[in-house]
CSV table of all heavy atoms in Angstrom, one decimal:
chain,number,residue,atom,x,y,z
A,112,GLN,N,137.3,28.2,16.6
A,112,GLN,CA,138.3,29.3,17.0
A,112,GLN,C,139.6,28.5,17.3
A,112,GLN,O,139.6,27.4,17.8
A,112,GLN,CB,137.8,30.2,18.2
A,112,GLN,CG,136.7,31.1,17.7
A,112,GLN,CD,136.5,32.1,18.9
A,112,GLN,OE1,136.4,31.7,20.1
A,112,GLN,NE2,136.0,33.4,18.4
A,113,ALA,N,140.7,29.2,17.3
A,113,ALA,CA,142.0,28.9,17.8
A,113,ALA,C,141.9,28.4,19.2
A,113,ALA,O,141.3,29.1,20.0
A,113,ALA,CB,143.0,29.9,17.5
A,115,GLY,N,140.4,25.7,20.1
A,115,GLY,CA,139.3,24.9,20.3
A,115,GLY,C,139.5,23.5,19.8
A,115,GLY,O,140.6,23.0,19.5
A,121,CYS,N,135.1,9.1,10.2
A,121,CYS,CA,135.2,8.5,8.9
A,121,CYS,C,134.6,7.2,8.8
A,121,CYS,O,135.0,6.2,9.6
A,121,CYS,CB,136.6,8.4,8.3
A,121,CYS,SG,136.9,7.6,6.8
A,124,SER,N,132.5,1.6,4.4
A,124,SER,CA,131.7,0.4,4.0
A,124,SER,C,132.4,-0.4,2.9
A,124,SER,O,133.3,0.0,2.2
A,124,SER,CB,130.4,0.9,3.5
A,124,SER,OG,130.6,1.8,2.4
A,147,VAL,N,148.8,13.2,8.3
A,147,VAL,CA,148.5,13.6,9.6
A,147,VAL,C,148.6,12.5,10.7
A,147,VAL,O,149.4,12.7,11.7
A,147,VAL,CB,147.1,14.2,9.7
A,147,VAL,CG1,146.7,14.4,11.1
A,147,VAL,CG2,146.9,15.3,8.7
A,148,ALA,N,147.9,11.3,10.4
A,148,ALA,CA,148.0,10.4,11.5
A,148,ALA,C,147.6,8.9,10.7
A,148,ALA,O,147.0,9.0,9.8
A,148,ALA,CB,147.1,10.6,12.6
A,149,ALA,N,148.1,7.8,11.5
A,149,ALA,CA,147.7,6.5,11.1
A,149,ALA,C,147.4,5.6,12.2
A,149,ALA,O,148.0,5.9,13.3
A,149,ALA,CB,148.8,5.9,10.1
A,155,GLY,N,146.3,-0.7,18.0
A,155,GLY,CA,147.3,-0.8,19.0
A,155,GLY,C,148.5,0.1,18.7
A,155,GLY,O,149.3,0.4,19.7
A,161,ASP,N,154.7,15.2,13.2
A,161,ASP,CA,155.3,16.0,14.2
A,161,ASP,C,154.5,17.3,14.5
A,161,ASP,O,154.3,17.7,15.6
A,161,ASP,CB,156.8,16.5,13.9
A,161,ASP,CG,157.8,15.3,13.9
A,161,ASP,OD1,157.4,14.3,14.5
A,161,ASP,OD2,158.8,15.6,13.3
A,164,LYS,N,151.5,15.9,16.7
A,164,LYS,CA,151.7,15.1,17.9
A,164,LYS,C,151.4,15.9,19.1
A,164,LYS,O,151.7,17.0,19.3
A,164,LYS,CB,153.2,14.8,17.8
A,164,LYS,CG,153.5,13.5,18.5
A,164,LYS,CD,154.9,13.0,18.2
A,164,LYS,CE,155.1,12.6,16.7
A,164,LYS,NZ,156.5,12.0,16.5
A,167,PHE,N,146.7,16.0,18.4
A,167,PHE,CA,145.5,15.0,17.8
A,167,PHE,C,145.7,13.7,18.2
A,167,PHE,O,146.8,13.2,18.4
A,167,PHE,CB,145.8,15.1,16.3
A,167,PHE,CG,145.6,16.4,15.5
A,167,PHE,CD1,145.3,17.6,16.3
A,167,PHE,CD2,145.5,16.6,14.1
A,167,PHE,CE1,145.1,18.8,15.6
A,167,PHE,CE2,145.3,17.7,13.5
A,167,PHE,CZ,145.1,18.8,14.2
A,174,VAL,N,134.0,-2.3,15.3
A,174,VAL,CA,132.6,-2.8,15.2
A,174,VAL,C,131.8,-1.9,14.4
A,174,VAL,O,130.9,-2.2,13.7
A,174,VAL,CB,132.1,-3.0,16.7
A,174,VAL,CG1,130.6,-3.2,16.5
A,174,VAL,CG2,132.9,-4.0,17.5
A,186,LYS,N,145.1,25.2,15.7
A,186,LYS,CA,145.7,26.5,15.3
A,186,LYS,C,145.2,26.9,13.9
A,186,LYS,O,144.9,26.0,13.2
A,186,LYS,CB,147.3,26.1,15.2
A,186,LYS,CG,147.9,25.6,16.5
A,186,LYS,CD,149.3,25.3,16.4
A,186,LYS,CE,149.9,24.7,17.7
A,186,LYS,NZ,151.3,24.4,17.5
A,194,TYR,N,141.2,14.5,4.9
A,194,TYR,CA,140.8,13.2,4.1
A,194,TYR,C,141.1,12.0,4.9
A,194,TYR,O,142.1,11.8,5.6
A,194,TYR,CB,141.5,13.2,2.9
A,194,TYR,CG,141.3,14.2,1.8
A,194,TYR,CD1,142.1,15.4,1.9
A,194,TYR,CD2,140.3,14.2,0.9
A,194,TYR,CE1,141.9,16.4,1.0
A,194,TYR,CE2,140.1,15.1,0.1
A,194,TYR,CZ,140.9,16.3,0.0
A,194,TYR,OH,140.6,17.4,-0.8
A,200,LEU,N,148.8,-1.7,3.3
A,200,LEU,CA,150.2,-1.9,3.7
A,200,LEU,C,150.3,-2.0,5.1
A,200,LEU,O,149.4,-1.5,5.9
A,200,LEU,CB,151.0,-0.8,3.0
A,200,LEU,CG,151.1,-0.8,1.5
A,200,LEU,CD1,151.9,0.4,1.0
A,200,LEU,CD2,151.6,-2.0,1.0
A,201,PRO,N,151.5,-2.4,5.6
A,201,PRO,CA,151.7,-2.4,7.1
A,201,PRO,C,151.8,-0.9,7.6
A,201,PRO,O,152.0,0.0,6.8
A,201,PRO,CB,153.1,-3.0,7.3
A,201,PRO,CG,153.2,-3.8,6.0
A,201,PRO,CD,152.6,-3.2,4.9
A,209,TYR,N,150.7,7.9,-1.8
A,209,TYR,CA,150.8,6.7,-2.8
A,209,TYR,C,150.6,5.3,-2.2
A,209,TYR,O,150.4,4.4,-2.9
A,209,TYR,CB,152.1,6.8,-3.6
A,209,TYR,CG,152.1,8.1,-4.4
A,209,TYR,CD1,153.0,9.1,-4.0
A,209,TYR,CD2,151.4,8.3,-5.5
A,209,TYR,CE1,153.2,10.3,-4.7
A,209,TYR,CE2,151.4,9.6,-6.1
A,209,TYR,CZ,152.3,10.6,-5.8
A,209,TYR,OH,152.4,11.7,-6.4
A,210,ALA,N,150.5,5.3,-0.8
A,210,ALA,CA,150.4,4.1,-0.1
A,210,ALA,C,148.9,3.7,0.1
A,210,ALA,O,148.6,2.7,0.6
A,210,ALA,CB,151.1,4.1,1.2
Side-chain angles (χ1 to χ4, degrees):
Q112 286 189 329
C121 172
S124 61
V147 174
D161 288 343
K164 205 171 292 184
F167 290 11
V174 173
K186 305 175 182 179
Y194 297 91
L200 295 176
Y209 298 108

